[in-house]
Amino acid sequence: DTEVTQTPKHLVMGMTNKKSLKCEQHMGHRAMYWYKQKAKKPPELMFVYSYEKLSINESVPSRFSPECPNSSLLNLHLHALQPEDSALYLCASSQVTGPHEQYFGPGTRLTVT
Amino acid sequence: AQRVTQPEKLLSVFKGAPVELKCNYSYSGSPELFWYVQYSRQRLQLLLRHISRESIKGFTADLNKGETSFHLKKPFAQEEDSAMYYCALYSGGSNYKLTFGKGTLLTVNP
């Protein structure tokens, strides 16, 4: 299996809701990433996990809470989001020791109303 | 700090014409460089990595350390090449971060 999968594909949530995004890969990659992408812009890194431990948090607001339950799964818990958080949320994975290209999922299109 | 510059936000060519998407980087060490492509409504996918010096879909890219460039080239553009192209740099170390350029939107006209 050489793909990163993400669920759901689309999500609409109100500002008081709690929801979660899920990501899965079975390539044996031990680094996993969450990105936020706005239209026609490059992905912006949010979080990096290596060996299931959070190694980078790019000063992301606490209303986004990542979780890595095991080496294949990555979650992003959402709570009390703002309309400006509406975006495409991408998950990616890579090897830790190299080569270091990242493999991306199709993304979750999030709309906050 | 590392930086990736793609000077053209938009690039429009006719089918069959050569195309070159420019990428310059700033990094003091030995970088790993990649080109990613994002077709409309599709996932971001790896197109090329400089380490393997391969040709994918007719595209090639050569790392020029003297000019700190990694330009993407194709001798004859096809309409299906229309997409957003991102140059990305991995700078090493334990942070595993990719630094992306702002992207070039390529349109190939019939």
Side-chain angles (χ1 to χ4, degrees), chain A residues 68-79:
Chain A
C68 191
N70 60 53
S71 59
S72 300
L73 292 174
L74 188 66
N75 298 322
L76 186 63
H77 303 297
L78 314 173
H79 173 54

Side-chain angles (χ1 to χ4, degrees), chain A residues 21-91:
Chain A
L21 309 185
K22 295 185 185 305
C23 172
E24 191 166 2
Q25 58 89 14
H26 294 288
M27 294 180 277
H29 292 167
R30 301 303 295 277
M32 295 185 77
Y33 311 79
W34 280 115
Y35 289 87
K36 175 182 177 180
Q37 187 179 30
K38 293 279 199 178
K40 300 283 193 283
K41 300 288 187 187
E44 298 172 37
L45 183 65
M46 300 174 71
F47 302 103
V48 180
Y49 273 83
S50 61
Y51 298 106
E52 297 85 71
K53 286 186 170 44
L54 184 66
S55 61
I56 295 179
N57 175 340
E58 293 284 273
S59 304
V60 179
S62 60
R63 56 186 184 268
F64 295 91
S65 175
E67 179 197 18
C68 191
N70 60 53
S71 59
S72 300
L73 292 174
L74 188 66
N75 298 322
L76 186 63
H77 303 297
L78 314 173
H79 173 54
L81 295 193
Q82 304 297 309
E84 59 266 28
D85 297 322
S86 298
L88 183 67
Y89 286 84
L90 300 174
C91 175

Side-chain angles (χ1 to χ4, degrees), chain B residues 7-21:
Chain B
E8 301 134 333
K9 201 171 179 181
L10 302 169
L11 184 61
S12 183
V13 301
F14 285 103
K15 177 181 170 183
V19 63
E20 182 180 50
L21 291 87

Side-chain angles (χ1 to χ4, degrees), chain B residues 1-101:
Chain B
Q2 59 269 21
R3 189 166 63 242
V4 175
T5 303
Q6 294 180 249
E8 301 134 333
K9 201 171 179 181
L10 302 169
L11 184 61
S12 183
V13 301
F14 285 103
K15 177 181 170 183
V19 63
E20 182 180 50
L21 291 87
K22 291 185 166 52
C23 172
N24 288 92
Y25 66 91
S26 171
Y27 180 61
S28 55
S30 289
E32 281 183 60
L33 283 150
F34 307 95
W35 277 99
Y36 281 84
V37 61
Q38 194 167 28
Y39 301 101
S40 180
R41 301 183 191 284
Q42 293 189 28
R43 73 178 68 200
L44 191 62
Q45 53 189 282
L46 178 69
L47 181 62
L48 284 176
R49 55 176 83 81
H50 92 268
I51 287 176
S52 49
R53 300 180 62 84
E54 58 209 332
S55 172
I56 303 290
K57 300 185 180 183
F59 284 97
T60 59
D62 288 318
L63 177 61
N64 185 323
K65 289 188 178 180
E67 296 183 358
T68 58
S69 68
F70 188 55
H71 302 327
L72 184 68
K73 299 176 185 178
K74 185 169 183 177
F76 309 104
Q78 303 299 314
E79 289 179 67
E80 56 265 31
D81 296 328
S82 296
M84 180 69 88
Y85 291 80
Y86 294 102
C87 183
L89 178 155
Y90 173 76
S91 52
S94 58
N95 62 22
Y96 316 114
K97 288 175 68 170
L98 276 183
T99 301
F100 286 89

